Each structure stands twice: as C-alpha cells, then as structure tokens.
Amino acid sequence: VSYWFRNDNRLPQARLAVVSYVIVGMIGVLLIGFWKLQVIDSDKYSQWAERNRVRSIPVIAPRGRMLDRDGRVLVDNYPSFSVLLLRDDPSLVMKNLPAIADGLGVPINDLLDQLDNARELPKFQPIVIKPEATPADVAFIESHHEDIPLLEMLMVHRRRYLPNGFMAHASGYVGEVSEKQIEDSNGKLRPGDFAGKSGLERQYNDILQGTDGMRRVIVNSVGKEVDRLPTQEAIPGKQIQLSIDYDLQQVAETSLGQRPGAVVALDPRNGEVLAMVSRPTPDPNDFAIRISAKEWKDLNDDPLHPLLNRAIQAQLAPGSVFKIITATAMLEDHVPSENFTTFCPGYGVFFGRQYHCYVYYAKTGAKSHGELGLHGAILKSCDVFFYNVGIRLGIDRLAHYAIGFGIGRKTGIDLPSEESGLMPTQEWVERSLHRKWYAGEVISVAIGQGAVTTTPLQLARMIGGIASGGVFKQPHLLKDAQNVGEERFPISEPTIEKITDAMYGVVNEPGGTGGHLKLTGIELSGKSGTAQVIGYNKMALVKKGTQFADNAWFVGYAPKRNPEICVAALVQESGQHGGEAAGPVVRDIVKAYYDKKNKKLGGQQLTADGAQFDPNKVEHAAVGVQPPATPKPQSEATTTPPPARSDQN
Amino acid sequence: MREAPGTRDYDWWLLAILLAICSLGVIEIYSATHGSNLAGMHTKQIRWLVVGFILMFILSRLDYHLILDQAWILYLIGLVALVLVLLVGHTRFGAKRWIPILGEAFQVSELVKLIIIVWLARFFAEVRTDELSLRDLIKAGLLVGLPLALILKQPDLGTAMVLVPLLVVGAFLGGLQWQHAAIFSLAGALLIGSVFYPPVSRHILKPYQRERITSFLHPEEDAKGSGYQLLQSKIAVGSGGFWGKGFGNGSQNQLGYIPVRYSDFIMSAWAEEQGFKGVLLALGLYMALLLRLVQNAQRAKDRAGMFLVMGVAAALGFHVLVNVAMVIGAMPVTGIPLPLMSYGGSATLFVFLAIGLVMNVRIRRFVN
C-alpha cells in the first residue's frame, strides 16, 4: 500500500453537515410533490385513472313503436350496427386511419371531416363513423380487434316505417338531433343521438324515446378488454297507440293516389283522427339512417314541398265548403230570413261590379241557376245566392260564426307546426294591411274565396262539429287520449236540421253537386268546394292551360246527424270540380268505414290486437297506384287570391 | 494495522435499512408483474439481491486503500470497457449499453460509476488541501468528462448525468472555492438551459432525448406519445391518494398504464397501491439510508474513506432524486432506476458493491 493518504484525517465536517441538510431538503421537496398529487389533486387523477380504465359504450334504447287503433304495428324498429371509432388516443387514430378507411370502404377524407366535426366533444366519447355496417364491415372489425383496437360495433335500432310514405306525415321521422334539441333536453340527448324531428315522432318524442344504457368494460393500456362492469341497461321507449285505423288509412292513401293534396278523417264524436294523408310524400325510411346535406336540401327546395303536411299545414281558400258557415250564420241571425230566395242569372252586380256564378262558365246547359232558396243554393252551390247573403250579413257576423267554428284558429291537434289559416275581419285588414275594409270584400269571403284560408283539418272539424250540433272535439292522433279539448258553439235545432238536410241533399238529392257519390244504406252527406288559386280575370291574362287549375275540396260525413266519421279531402289543382276530384276519396273512406263496421257487427273478428307487422302484406296493399296526375308547382303557403269572384259547384 | 475487522464493526443499521428498501421493491415487483407474462420477476430480483449481498461482503473485506491504490488502473479499465461496449456491445432499446458476461448482459456504465467513485476519492484525497485550486478542479472535470462523453455516446444520458454529482459533491468536500462554484453553477445552468432550448439542443441531444424533454414540458399535448409515460405516472401517483388502492389493486399498475412499472417507474406503482403513507415510508427509508451514509463519512478514518463513502451517497442520492422527481412528473424521463427497488441486475449489483465500499470504510474506522 502506498502512503499517499497518510496523516490525512482532517475531515470537512461542516460541509458534510451541509450535505445532510441538502438530503433532508431533497426528500422534503419530493414529499411535497407527492402531497400535491396524492392529497391535493387526488380527485382529478382518480377520475383520470377511472377514465383510463373504464370504456363506456352506449347501449341504445329502442324507440317505442306506433300501433294503429286495432294494435297493428305502423312504425317499429329493426336492429342494425353502427361502427364506432374510439378517439381517446389521437396518435393511434391517425396511425390507423388509412387502414380503417380501407377496411370500411369510407373515403379517408370523410373520416377526417368527421373527426374534425367532433373536435369539440370530449376525447373519450366515441363517434359513429359508419351508420349502417355491412357484414363485411363486421368481419373486418372482428378480425382486426387486436391490431386496431379503435373500432367498436354499436347495436342501434333503426326506425322502420311502412313503405311508400304510408302515413308518413302523421308519423313524422327521426333524425340526428339538432344543437337546439340537445340544449333543450337537459343533457338527455347527445350529439349523434336520434330523436323525432317532425310529426308524432317529435310530438311524443319524450314517450317514444327510451333512456340509453351504458356498457362498461375495463380495458388495459393497449385497449384490450380485460373485464366487464355491470351494464347499465337501456330503458326502451314506450309504444303509443294511435287512433289511426290502418284500413281507412290504406283506403285514403290509395284513393288519393299520387295527386298532390291531403285527406283527413275524423271521428267527430271524440276527435280521433282515423286517417291522415298528404301528398306528395317523402319516404321517412330514407331519414332513418343518415341523410346527406344534399338530399336534405333537395327535399326542402322541392317546389312541391313534400315535407309539408298538407292536412294541417296547407292554408288554402276553402271555396264553397265555406258556404256552410255562411248558411249557418244566415239561419242563426235571420239575416236575411230563412225564406230568402234569389234569382241567379249567372252573375250578380254589387257596388257597380259584376260577380259571376261558376254556372256562368258552364260548358253545357243553362248558364243560370234560376230562382233558388237556401236548400237549393247549397245543393247546387250557387254563388249568387251566397253573394247576396254575405252582403246582408256583413263581415263581422260572418267572422263571428267562422271563428266560432274554428276557422283561422289552430285545432290543437297533437302534431307540431300546425297552421291556423286565416279568417279575415275588419280589424285584421286594418292591422295587417293598413287599410279600411271594403264592404264588397265580404262577397268573396261568403263563398270561401278572398282572404279566407283554411287547412283540411279545420274543415273536417268544422263540418263534423256543425253536424254534431255545435260540439267541436279537439282532433288528436293518440287513442284514448286524456283531456280531449271540446268547444261548444250553440246552434239552434232548426238550423242544424236545415243545414244537415241540405248537405244530405248534396249527395242524395237530384241536382246536388255530389250526386255521383251516393252510397246505398249510408247517409253520406257533405259539401264540395272548388277553390280558385287565381282569379278568373287574372287567369284570362295568362296562357290558357292547367297552370292555375282549381283546388278540389270535398268534406263529407255520415250519418246525416251526429256523424261517426267526417272526412275532408283536398286535391290540389286537379282542374276538376270538388265533387268530381275529391268526392270519391271521401266516399271510398266512408264506405270502407261502414264496411268494416258492418263486418265487425256481423261477428267477424278483425285482426287481433298486437298483430305482427307484415311487410309483405303492406307492400302489396300500399302499392295501388292511381292514374298519374301531373303535379304542378304551386306555392302552398297562404295563397291569397285576389278578391275577385266565383267558385264552382 | 489491525487484522480482519469483526462482524460487530459492520453497520447493521445500514443493512437493516437496505433490506427494508429491498423488501418494498420485491413486494412491488411482485404486485406489478404477477398477473402478466413477466410473472416471477420478483424471484429473479431476490437472486440478484443475494448475489449483491455476497459481493458486498467480499468487497468489504478488501482494504479500500488497496483498491484506491489501483484507482488509475481501474480508471483505464473503465475507459477500455466503455470503448469496447461501443464497438461490440449489445444493442437494446436503440442503445449500446450491454456486454455479455457469464450469460447475463451487463451494463458497463454501472461498473464505470463505481470506478469513477473510487477514482475521484483517490484524486481528492491526494490533493490534500482545504482549498481546491482551479487547476485541480479542471483536471478532475476533464478526467470525469472523458468517460461521461463515452457513456453519452451509447447513448445513455441518465447514467452519464450521474457522474456530474459525483464530481460536484467530491469537489465540494474537497475544498471547492465559492467563486469557482459560482462560475461552474453558471456554466451548468447555461448547459441545462440550452438543453431545453430547441435551437441549441438540436446539436447536443439525440432526437429521442429532445422528444423526452419536449414531452416533459408539455405532457398533455400528446397524451399517448412521449408525454404519455409522465402523464400516466402522475395519474397513477395521484389516483393512489393518501391511503393507496391496496396491494395488487392499482388499476394504472395492473392494466399496464404505467410504463416499465417494475423498473424505472416502480415508485409510481408503489405510490398508486400504497398511497402517500407508503411514499412516506419509502422516502423515509431513503433519507435514513443517505443520512446514515453521511454519518459513516463523518466517522471515516481518513479523507480517502470519507470521499469514498460520500461518492456512494452522491450517486445514490442523485438516483433517488432524479427517479422520484420523474415519477411525479417534475423531471423528464431519463431512464435512471430507483436504487434497490427497481428491478435490474446491473443496477442492483452496483448498489451493493457501492455499499460494500462503504462497509469497507466503516469497518476500518478504528484502524490506525
């Protein structure tokens, strides 16, 4: 041993002590670091660890079905798979994106767009990248579970509607929720969820929509499932039973065919809607998966407005159907007296201006109705008679009855976005048009032209209510609905008698405008209307053609008093008289109603409650195609033709 | 000079502390690996501990003056080994750090750490002055810098960094003057600053090293990229709370979210399952270990022994600081294991050999 270290025992004790303090300080600082993580911020990191550990995959609750009044399935669901992309790990997502795009056959730019759109959402929330997985997609995901642990299958329930737009406007459709719906839902809805967007789907969304559950699995650091936590089960939505009668709906669909227009059938005794059709119609099955922005735009921009439910949203001149209101007002107020008669030479002159009766334009026969009283005027739908009644009643009296019978007011049906139509009054003209009311304007209104507009539903409710003695039930689509609204408008018995007699005569007496609709053994009654879309004088200026063909109306009911069924049919721009174009639709439905009723009474039980939905059966049934009617573009919203004149029928 | 010191002269307290820390390590290695394909790792670790224990006793019997006598030869052997490893070493995880001895891959830099401790003790003991001259300081710096550069070349930034505190503590106890300390602190601060400053670090650091530093500064930026390890470690530690999730119950640990949970990040697994109370125990033991080392240095018979013990204390203290600070996200990932707790053969043997040097000094404290 060399002696280089000898006699060298002077140790730097002070500096060694300093090192001790440094050691204590160092351990102290580290402990403070642990204290901050483990005690102060522990909750934050615990949540984080939990989120690492637990992957939540939603379990979609099936929506409730819609049944018809006999329990037959109108709207139900079918299972389908969506492909979910788990995004908690962006680098892994980006790495695997080309493989995913390739495997699912989705353009990679599409996926990038979807990821971009979901930027704002929390990372742990997966997004749907392909809504309808094919068997090939399922196979791809299953076989790549190990190397691409980013894809999950999500079982969803797609809505299935009957084909060909059967009852489409009443049922409405579902779609991905809008931002507003998410806001209004108090956290119940999340982006990508489906909810009712229109019709009953929207109206009763809270009932139909269940509560989604959650499947929770424990995953390890490479995303592999290692264990399961108790699943939070989905609570299915409740089914709703509608007052719709599948059989009548079927007849209504077939009878209207592809002609633009609407049909609504009510039971005036309780307000139940038995059938509701609107044409043209989209197929709501198209929206049940995912609709592209372009398809959606096309639907909205379609000049025929297929999304419009004409039964409650078309606001059109009611034409001669309105004469029932004018007649009731005349009889109730005795202005003019009930025995009032007038001679119809084909026109009338008021305030120095000539107003024609539709009969003036008749292609054959007399261009005059001759002398007639109220009964004959309703039967033949004479305009001149009602010009005279209107001018004597004045707008205030007429409006009192019309508004009392629901014109210009929403019926309160359980569907969103119902329109109110319009009953013009002096006050309305002053407020909205900023001008005085001209006494002559009442002439057009009295025959259902001018500013007055109504929806088909309003007319069905009005006629049904008058024939029921002034009891107007709130129309609704939910069977056995509670608290059905009711309005009573007192009408004297003699008035009801005369009015219903006349409407019975329209169908059952010679000369009535609905004579061809007569049904043996059924007291079909009603009133036709042929409303101008444009005044005749204006029509003369435009090229002759069907561009502005008349709207055909028929509102019929049976039996004559206290009816069980009341049907309003509208065929738009048919160019035919109301009785000709719309009348048969009403007749078919009323006949079907009685056929079914008599069959039931005859002891033959109909399809039992809860009958299974049979797509084949429906397919065949709904296919009945009508002679194609060339649809014409027309603005649907409040068509207000000039207060010119006439009406036919 | 008295022959063969007796067993009473050994520092049994130090051994007890050592054993306690090793137990914590073995328990946590078991917990972290028993359910995985790494099961059985704890028994391998126990084997290393036994080998380490034996080597420690053998080394303690050899008079440290004899070892210090050969300091320069050992230094040269260290340099040769480092060059050798660069030429023929095994490459693992992108770095050449291992050479095979007796069928096991040994990390040469662990041995070099030990050699540098010995060499520095000899160097500072020979200087024999209360005021270290700038010339000697620079000499020491250059001679430590050479192996440091070779280790950096592997590349192994972590182990290379350990040489720095050896020099610093040695110089401090060897009579470092305040003005020199100020100058070198400034230089050191500049160097560390430049490492964190991308335009400069681009020329000094390897891409993976730069990435580690970036992810340390912004761990949330890329949750599963390189910031992932630090973030997951913090989540593990934080979610453990005060009482811990219990043995075998740490989800971060058991589901593999903690990176190398049985080795470099074993403190993270321990903190998750045992909570703050467990951390208190572990860090308390490390503090006791380090203070006990300083005490042994204070009672050393001569300066050479003091330097030897303090070199060991500096190395172990630095390991604990850098590893634990990394676990709580206060330092970038450096790949420095936690002494005695982390799984690993070379690292365990290094610690026991180092403690063997301490015992060596301890049992000769009364020898004249």
Side-chain angles (χ1 to χ4, degrees):
Chain A
V1 175
S2 36
Y3 293 89
W4 47 265
F5 56 88
R6 182 175 276 175
N7 296 329
D8 197 1
N9 50 10
R10 299 161 293 122
L11 301 187
Q13 293 295 352
R15 290 199 172 191
L16 282 170
V18 169
V19 174
S20 304
Y21 300 139
V22 170
I23 289 168
V24 174
M26 176 187 101
I27 297 291
V29 168
L30 290 176
L31 280 175
I32 291 170
F34 278 97
W35 180 265
K36 185 171 182 303
L37 290 179
Q38 298 195 287
V39 178
I40 298 173
D41 292 337
S42 181
D43 289 348
K44 179 178 105 184
Y45 289 109
S46 295
Q47 283 174 18
W48 220 325
E50 194 66 9
R51 223 157 61 201
N52 258 347
R53 182 174 85 98
V54 179
R55 175 184 291 168
S56 298
I57 295 150
V59 180
I60 306 294
R63 266 178 99 74
R65 302 185 301 176
M66 293 188 200
L67 308 179
D68 94 330
R69 62 185 302 116
D70 296 322
R72 286 169 290 188
V73 179
L74 297 171
V75 178
D76 75 344
N77 306 302
Y78 67 96
S80 157
F81 286 96
S82 285
V83 182
L84 279 184
L85 177 70
L86 307 159
R87 308 174 300 144
D88 355 40
D89 181 354
S91 61
L92 206 56
V93 170
M94 293 321 287
K95 202 181 91 193
N96 285 301
L97 215 52
I100 293 170
D102 197 42
L104 298 178
V106 181
I108 192 154
N109 286 330
D110 253 39
L111 294 179
L112 288 168
D113 284 351
Q114 294 192 39
L115 281 169
D116 203 43
N117 292 339
R119 215 174 39 234
E120 303 287 315
L121 304 175
K123 284 269 177 293
F124 58 86
Q125 200 172 300
I127 56 166
V128 173
I129 52 167
K130 193 172 183 188
E132 198 89 334
T134 63
D137 295 335
V138 177
F140 171 77
I141 293 164
E142 294 296 328
S143 60
H144 289 81
H145 238 154
E146 297 290 321
D147 50 317
I148 313 180
L150 299 172
L151 297 177
E152 278 284 344
M153 306 292 295
L154 175 67
M155 218 267 264
V156 294
H157 304 270
R158 299 262 178 240
R159 223 39 173 159
R160 173 155 49 201
Y161 302 94
L162 295 178
N164 303 320
F166 189 90
M167 207 190 69
H169 289 92
S171 65
Y173 53 90
V174 292
E176 276 185 42
V177 288
S178 62
E179 271 172 43
K180 194 183 173 305
Q181 280 176 301
I182 294 168
E183 263 172 45
D184 295 347
S185 73
N186 289 325
K188 207 183 160 203
L189 295 175
R190 287 160 312 189
D193 281 354
F194 272 68
K197 301 290 264 187
S198 81
L200 291 163
E201 291 278 26
R202 176 153 161 209
Q203 183 77 21
Y204 293 116
N205 190 56
D206 289 349
I207 299 174
L208 293 166
Q209 184 145 48
T211 307
D212 290 349
M214 201 65 93
R215 191 163 65 83
R216 298 164 77 230
V217 296
I218 295 180
V219 290
N220 68 11
S221 58
V222 290
K224 198 169 167 241
E225 186 178 317
V226 295
D227 203 359
R228 284 170 184 240
L229 294 174
T231 300
Q232 187 189 327
E233 297 294 342
I235 303 165
K238 294 189 186 69
Q239 66 179 22
I240 57 175
Q241 187 164 26
L242 306 182
S243 56
I244 295 283
D245 186 318
Y246 174 81
D247 300 311
L248 297 193
Q249 178 75 23
Q250 175 76 50
V251 172
E253 301 266 353
T254 315
S255 193
L256 183 60
Q258 296 307 313
R259 296 174 292 175
V263 181
V264 57
L266 288 178
D267 184 339
R269 295 170 299 181
N270 52 24
E272 285 179 356
V273 176
L274 303 173
M276 180 179 274
V277 179
S278 177
R279 286 286 187 275
T281 178
D283 186 346
N285 290 303
D286 294 345
F287 312 147
I289 298 172
R290 184 179 273 182
I291 187 163
S292 75
K294 191 191 171 300
E295 286 172 295
W296 184 244
K297 194 174 174 300
D298 288 352
L299 268 174
N300 275 296
D301 293 350
D302 190 328
L304 290 170
H305 304 283
L307 294 177
L308 195 77
N309 182 356
R310 284 161 164 76
I312 60 166
Q313 289 177 312
Q315 304 176 91
L316 300 167
S320 300
V321 180
F322 192 86
K323 287 171 184 167
I324 298 302
I325 297 171
T326 312
T328 309
M330 164 187 154
L331 292 174
E332 285 292 280
D333 282 7
H334 309 288
V335 178
S337 80
E338 58 179 277
N339 298 321
F340 175 78
T341 62
T342 189
F343 179 80
C344 168
Y347 59 89
V349 179
F350 306 95
F351 305 104
R353 193 174 152 196
Q354 210 176 52
Y355 290 80
H356 285 112
C357 181
Y358 81 92
V359 77
Y360 179 82
Y361 299 96
K363 289 178 191 79
T364 54
K367 290 181 185 288
S368 150
H369 280 124
E371 183 85 12
L372 26 63
L374 181 67
H375 190 81
I378 290 176
L379 247 64
K380 300 191 165 104
S381 202
C382 175
D383 292 337
V384 172
F385 181 88
F386 285 100
Y387 293 152
N388 279 292
V389 174
I391 202 100
R392 283 165 178 79
L393 275 169
I395 189 67
D396 288 343
R397 274 183 224 258
L398 198 53
H400 169 71
Y401 285 93
I403 292 168
F405 297 154
I407 305 303
R409 292 187 292 134
K410 292 182 179 176
T411 66
I413 189 172
D414 46 357
L415 284 176
S417 314
E418 186 192 3
E419 293 290 354
S420 63
L422 176 73
M423 182 59 210
T425 60
Q426 291 201 46
E427 191 255 326
W428 171 79
V429 163
E430 281 160 19
R431 179 164 43 80
S432 301
L433 304 180
H434 308 293
R435 63 166 173 83
K436 280 237 163 273
W437 175 264
Y438 302 118
E441 288 179 63
V442 76
I443 296 164
S444 297
V445 174
I447 60 153
Q449 293 285 161
V452 60
T453 61
T454 61
T455 66
L457 180 65
Q458 283 174 328
L459 292 185
R461 175 185 177 275
M462 183 267 288
I463 296 286
I466 291 174
S468 304
V471 182
F472 300 85
K473 293 283 188 180
Q474 182 183 4
H476 59 271
L477 284 150
L478 203 60
K479 194 170 179 284
D480 305 322
Q482 304 294 306
N483 308 318
V484 174
E486 180 190 297
E487 285 180 17
R488 285 175 182 272
F489 193 100
I491 310 171
S492 67
E493 179 53 32
T495 301
I496 297 165
E497 195 64 39
K498 286 195 178 68
I499 298 287
T500 52
D501 274 353
M503 286 199 279
Y504 181 77
V506 166
V507 178
N508 298 291
E509 285 178 34
T513 55
H516 56 296
L517 304 174
K518 195 166 170 169
L519 289 168
T520 337
I522 299 170
E523 293 180 352
L524 178 61
S525 313
K527 182 72 194 82
S528 61
T530 311
Q532 278 179 270
V533 173
I534 182 172
Y536 278 125
N537 45 359
K538 276 244 177 77
M539 181 122 78
L541 298 175
V542 294
K543 214 170 169 251
K544 196 112 177 124
T546 53
Q547 184 74 26
F548 297 101
D550 295 338
N551 287 334
W553 286 101
F554 196 86
V555 184
Y557 64 90
K560 182 179 142 193
R561 289 291 300 271
N562 301 317
E564 298 171 15
I565 180 167
C566 178
V567 185
L570 161 71
V571 181
Q572 282 180 282
E573 303 190 25
S574 67
Q576 289 178 296
H577 292 182
E580 292 168 13
V585 177
V586 175
R587 180 197 58 203
D588 292 349
I589 295 168
V590 172
K591 181 173 183 301
Y593 173 83
Y594 276 98
D595 286 351
K596 183 172 176 178
K597 187 179 169 185
N598 295 334
K599 221 175 182 180
K600 239 182 197 165
L601 291 174
Q604 274 178 289
Q605 197 55 38
L606 262 146
T607 327
D609 282 7
Q612 281 304 300
F613 166 67
D614 180 356
N616 295 326
K617 184 183 142 202
V618 174
E619 190 78 42
H620 292 304
V623 140
V625 178
Q626 286 287 298
T630 337
K632 292 287 173 294
Q634 182 219 342
S635 160
E636 212 67 74
T638 327
T639 324
T640 316
R645 70 96 269 115
S646 165
D647 152 1
Q648 320 212 4
N649 271 12
Chain B
M1 199 179 271
R2 206 172 78 182
E3 291 290 310
T7 45
R8 283 175 58 92
D9 296 320
Y10 281 90
D11 188 348
W12 295 104
W13 269 113
L14 184 64
L15 283 177
I17 296 166
L18 215 62
L19 213 62
I21 296 175
C22 290
S23 312
L24 300 190
V26 170
I27 289 170
E28 198 48 55
I29 289 169
Y30 175 72
S31 172
T33 57
H34 71 276
S36 71
N37 53 355
L38 299 170
M41 212 168 219
H42 63 288
T43 53
K44 273 173 93 178
Q45 175 72 358
I46 290 170
R47 236 180 290 151
W48 285 119
L49 292 174
V50 171
V51 173
F53 228 72
I54 294 165
L55 288 179
M56 178 189 82
F57 272 100
I58 293 171
L59 191 58
S60 69
R61 305 307 298 181
L62 193 65
D63 190 331
Y64 64 95
H65 297 100
L66 287 172
I67 301 168
L68 290 176
D69 254 0
Q70 310 304 319
W72 281 99
I73 293 168
L74 289 170
Y75 181 84
L76 286 176
I77 290 172
L79 284 188
V80 170
L82 284 175
V83 172
L84 212 62
V85 87
L86 282 178
L87 294 177
V88 299
H90 282 191
T91 304
R92 272 201 233 163
F93 314 120
K96 271 190 178 179
R97 295 178 191 169
W98 290 268
I99 49 172
I101 299 173
L102 299 172
E104 291 281 349
F106 278 91
Q107 212 172 325
V108 173
S109 49
E110 294 291 343
L111 183 71
V112 171
K113 271 193 284 190
L114 211 57
I115 288 171
I116 296 299
I117 290 171
V118 170
W119 181 82
L120 274 173
R122 166 79 189 261
F123 181 86
F124 285 117
E126 243 178 333
V127 168
R128 244 190 279 182
T129 167
D130 289 338
E131 290 206 336
L132 192 63
S133 69
L134 189 60
R135 196 172 150 270
D136 286 333
L137 186 58
I138 290 173
K139 195 178 161 196
L142 287 176
L143 284 160
V144 172
L146 192 58
L148 192 146
L150 287 170
I151 297 172
L152 266 183
K153 192 97 181 105
Q154 291 181 355
D156 187 351
L157 180 63
T159 310
M161 271 166 48
V162 181
L163 301 188
V164 176
L166 299 183
L167 180 64
V168 170
V169 171
F172 176 69
L173 297 171
L176 179 68
Q177 296 173 56
W178 293 112
Q179 60 269 36
H180 297 158
I183 292 166
F184 283 101
S185 305
L186 198 67
L190 277 176
L191 185 70
I192 292 169
S194 63
V195 161
F196 285 91
Y197 184 59
V200 179
S201 66
R202 193 170 302 143
H203 303 288
I204 313 175
L205 300 177
K206 299 260 179 285
Y208 85 96
Q209 292 168 335
R210 283 210 309 276
E211 198 178 299
R212 279 179 178 181
I213 285 168
T214 321
S215 64
F216 161 67
L217 293 175
H218 315 283
E220 268 86 348
E221 209 162 73
D222 188 4
K224 266 191 186 167
S226 26
Y228 174 78
Q229 299 189 329
L230 283 184
L231 187 64
Q232 292 302 337
S233 176
K234 281 171 81 172
I235 293 171
V237 171
S239 64
F242 190 90
W243 298 106
K245 298 178 185 173
F247 174 80
N249 281 333
S251 66
Q252 289 285 105
N253 181 15
Q254 302 300 331
L255 296 172
Y257 288 96
I258 303 175
V260 284
R261 57 199 186 275
Y262 51 86
S263 176
D264 288 4
F265 282 90
I266 195 157
M267 193 59 176
S268 180
W270 175 261
E272 184 188 24
E273 298 195 338
Q274 302 304 327
F276 187 73
K277 65 166 189 359
V279 169
L280 215 52
L281 173 66
L283 290 187
L285 285 170
Y286 278 111
M287 187 170 78
L289 173 72
L290 294 173
L291 291 179
R292 188 77 190 165
L293 291 180
V294 175
Q295 198 191 50
N296 275 321
Q298 285 169 329
R299 293 179 186 172
K301 197 187 83 159
D302 50 28
R303 276 167 75 91
M306 184 272 291
F307 278 121
L308 209 50
V309 175
M310 285 311 288
V312 172
L316 294 186
F318 187 75
H319 269 95
V320 171
L321 174 70
V322 175
N323 179 278
V324 174
M326 168 189 80
V327 158
I328 57 174
M331 267 197 193
V333 177
T334 43
I336 290 187
L338 186 60
L340 302 169
M341 275 183 80
S342 288
Y343 172 83
S346 309
T348 304
L349 293 189
F350 158 74
V351 177
F352 276 96
L353 286 173
I355 298 294
L357 289 178
V358 174
M359 289 296 179
N360 200 326
V361 175
R362 165 91 182 182
I363 59 182
R364 289 178 177 82
R365 66 188 188 280
F366 303 123
V367 177
N368 277 313

